[in-house]
Amino acid sequence: MPKRRVHTHMKYLSKLFIVLIVFVAFFVAYKVLNRAPDVPGQASSRLLWKIQSVDTMKFSRDLAREKLNDKAFEATIAQQVKQIADTGATHVAVGTPYEEEFVPFLAKWVDAARQNNIKVWFRGNLAGWEGWFSYPKISTNEHTAEVVSFISKHPELFSDGDIFTSCPECENGGPGDPRMTNDVASFRSFLISEHNSVVAAFKRSNKNVLVGLYSMNGDVAKLTMDPETTKALGGYVSVDHYVQTPEQLSADIEALVKSSGGKVVLGEWGAPIPDINGKMTDEQQADWISAALSNLSQVKGLVGLNYWTGYGSSTAIWTAQGEPRPAVSLLTGYYKPVVVSGSVVNEIDNMIEGAEVKTALSQARSDSRGRFTLTFTPADKTVTVRAAGYDTQVLDASQIGDHIVLVKSRENVLFRFAKFLKNLQK
């Protein structure tokens, strides 16, 4: 071979080698600068609702006089409150009356809540409002004065973050149900006046307690809670609502959000109520509650719920012996949802910024390092991942790993070469 041709050939090979070196160097630099973050998947919890509660009324109210001085009953209180706290509940709803006779019993429930780092939703009332425990019935003015006196005398019962409802299902006592009296104006006026008095009482006690959430029958709420009244009561509407189907429950709440213009809290809900739902096995109860929670988690404007009850009723999710029924794990899955952290990458492990990662309940976008966090509930079966320039993927939620790999819709020469070198590494 002539020297000139050999020289030319060697020169060509040298250039090719230099180009190859440049490509390899570029690939290495590209990988180093854009590699996916080495962050393992992490799990934490994120609240779906501001208020997540379980009610104890069958024990904290109905047994208030019977167990008032029963020292052994304190173990039952401790067990129930701990089990409720373990679900991820933010509050335990306590129905003990507010008269002085019952304050020592109420204090036991409050102490148990503090020991389990959970807030209290005071959902009792003055026994005289409805005539509980043979107390004589009282007027609206007496009710307000006695509630304010109770708050002033017992600031030790309250902690920041608690909820205080002075008159749950207020239509059941006092002047009566506005559907029957045809006096909606007086009913609204009483609630607003008492609300303002109770807010002032807590201000004097220097306690940051949410006041209100005057739970009502759903029909009473429709009649009473117009936008003006809702605003005057702190912007919240609370309903005790039992219906036949999970679909009806969420539809009714959506309608109430719209008509009231406020934030809605389910003061009571659950199944089965025999007259409404018939009898249910534990599995049927769990299926009903699962469907309800799945629907409710997607209702905008629903900011809280209180499952009625944990114990002692047809809707109970623990047995008389304190054993959890299947519904407990479902409720826990929503009260304490898992939040998974991971990253979105392409086939050469470069992070993808701005990828949408979405479940039926929540969605997130990957940051500049490809990272995302996403909430998972028992209802989430699949995860959809999409990004500009990449094929959309629908993945099984149970199989989401640390890295989600997306495939480019169209590959340029440089990307194909990078994939080639990556495969060589294997």
Side-chain angles (χ1 to χ4, degrees):
M1 181 182 294
K3 286 185 177 182
R4 188 166 184 171
R5 290 185 64 186
V6 170
H7 179 73
T8 301
H9 188 64
M10 292 298 293
K11 190 174 181 182
Y12 173 77
L13 288 176
S14 296
K15 287 181 178 180
L16 184 61
F17 181 72
I18 291 170
V19 170
L20 183 60
I21 292 296
V22 170
F23 264 113
V24 171
F26 177 81
F27 173 73
V28 171
Y30 190 62
K31 292 276 289 178
V32 169
L33 293 174
N34 295 279
R35 67 174 179 267
D38 187 20
V39 178
Q42 301 172 8
S44 59
S45 63
R46 178 184 297 169
L47 295 183
L48 297 181
W49 299 283
K50 176 182 176 181
I51 299 163
Q52 301 181 161
S53 179
V54 176
D55 207 291
T56 63
M57 190 196 82
K58 302 302 283 186
F59 286 74
S60 61
R61 187 190 77 182
D62 292 2
L63 301 181
R65 180 171 282 168
E66 177 185 341
K67 300 296 185 181
L68 181 62
N69 298 309
D70 186 345
K71 189 76 175 174
F73 191 70
E74 292 177 15
T76 299
I77 295 173
Q79 178 189 23
Q80 290 191 7
V81 175
K82 183 182 186 307
Q83 288 178 321
I84 290 171
D86 287 344
T87 67
T90 60
H91 294 75
V92 54
V94 178
T96 310
Y98 301 143
E99 278 85 0
E100 286 298 310
E101 173 190 356
F102 304 108
V103 169
F105 187 69
L106 175 57
K108 294 176 182 179
W109 289 93
V110 172
D111 289 345
R114 307 305 179 215
Q115 290 170 17
N116 285 279
N117 196 31
I118 187 173
K119 300 300 181 181
V120 179
W121 184 351
F122 295 84
R123 292 192 79 242
N125 200 338
L126 288 161
W129 186 249
E130 295 187 39
W132 301 336
F133 301 104
S134 300
Y135 270 76
K137 289 194 174 184
I138 57 177
S139 68
T140 54
N141 289 337
E142 289 172 317
H143 189 278
T144 300
E146 290 184 31
V147 165
V148 169
S149 176
F150 165 70
I151 296 166
S152 302
K153 286 180 180 178
H154 300 287
E156 75 284 354
L157 292 174
F158 304 103
S159 179
D160 290 351
D162 287 345
I163 303 169
F164 184 80
T165 300
S166 63
C167 194
E169 296 186 357
C170 218
E171 66 271 20
N172 292 338
D177 191 324
R179 293 173 298 177
M180 308 304 170
T181 64
N182 293 316
D183 192 357
V184 178
S186 293
F187 187 70
R188 287 171 174 163
S189 178
F190 163 60
L191 287 177
I192 293 169
S193 175
E194 178 153 302
H195 178 79
N196 292 338
S197 296
V198 172
V199 168
F202 277 110
K203 282 185 178 179
R204 289 192 294 270
S205 297
N206 198 30
K207 295 292 177 71
N208 185 20
V209 173
L210 175 59
V211 172
L213 305 190
Y214 303 100
S215 55
M216 308 172 185
N217 172 282
D219 290 332
V220 175
K222 290 178 188 176
L223 180 64
T224 305
M225 300 303 290
D226 59 8
E228 184 180 358
T229 305
T230 301
K231 184 177 180 180
L233 294 177
Y236 290 93
V237 179
S238 182
V239 288
D240 296 352
H241 205 46
Y242 300 96
V243 294
Q244 188 172 23
T245 68
E247 293 74 20
Q248 184 183 348
L249 181 62
S250 56
D252 288 350
I253 297 304
E254 287 177 341
L256 191 56
V257 170
K258 185 178 294 185
S259 65
S260 69
K263 295 171 282 190
V264 175
V265 175
L266 260 174
E268 292 180 14
W269 72 285
I273 300 294
D275 291 346
I276 298 174
N277 311 106
K279 292 183 178 180
M280 289 182 177
T281 65
D282 287 354
E283 289 70 26
Q284 288 172 327
Q285 180 195 42
D287 289 343
W288 197 100
I289 290 172
S290 176
L293 287 167
S294 177
N295 292 341
L296 291 170
S297 67
Q298 299 177 61
V299 176
K300 294 180 180 179
L302 178 67
V303 298
L305 40 83
N306 174 50
Y307 185 83
W308 193 95
T309 63
Y311 316 82
S313 69
S314 63
T315 61
I317 55 177
W318 281 277
T319 67
Q321 294 74 38
E323 294 297 320
R325 293 191 165 111
V328 172
S329 63
L330 286 165
L331 187 71
T332 303
Y334 284 87
Y335 276 12
K336 205 161 46 173
V338 173
V339 179
V340 175
S341 298
S343 59
V344 184
V345 300
N346 61 25
E347 292 176 281
I348 59 173
D349 295 332
N350 292 341
M351 74 281 286
I352 300 175
E353 181 179 358
E356 181 187 65
V357 188
K358 186 176 182 180
T359 68
L361 176 65
S362 63
Q363 66 180 38
R365 287 197 178 275
S366 57
D367 63 16
S368 59
R369 299 193 65 203
R371 295 173 297 190
F372 70 91
T373 58
L374 195 68
T375 302
F376 286 87
T377 71
D380 294 317
K381 306 302 181 185
T382 61
V383 179
T384 301
V385 188
R386 56 170 57 91
Y390 292 88
D391 295 339
T392 297
Q393 285 207 47
V394 180
L395 307 171
D396 189 315
S398 65
Q399 297 177 348
I400 295 298
D402 297 343
H403 292 171
I404 297 174
V405 181
L406 293 185
V407 176
K408 269 187 173 291
S409 302
R410 298 180 66 180
E411 299 176 355
N412 58 31
V413 174
L414 184 59
F415 189 85
R416 287 199 295 270
F417 184 71
K419 276 179 63 177
F420 169 74
L421 292 179
K422 183 175 184 293
N423 289 331
L424 287 180
Q425 291 179 330
K426 295 179 180 178

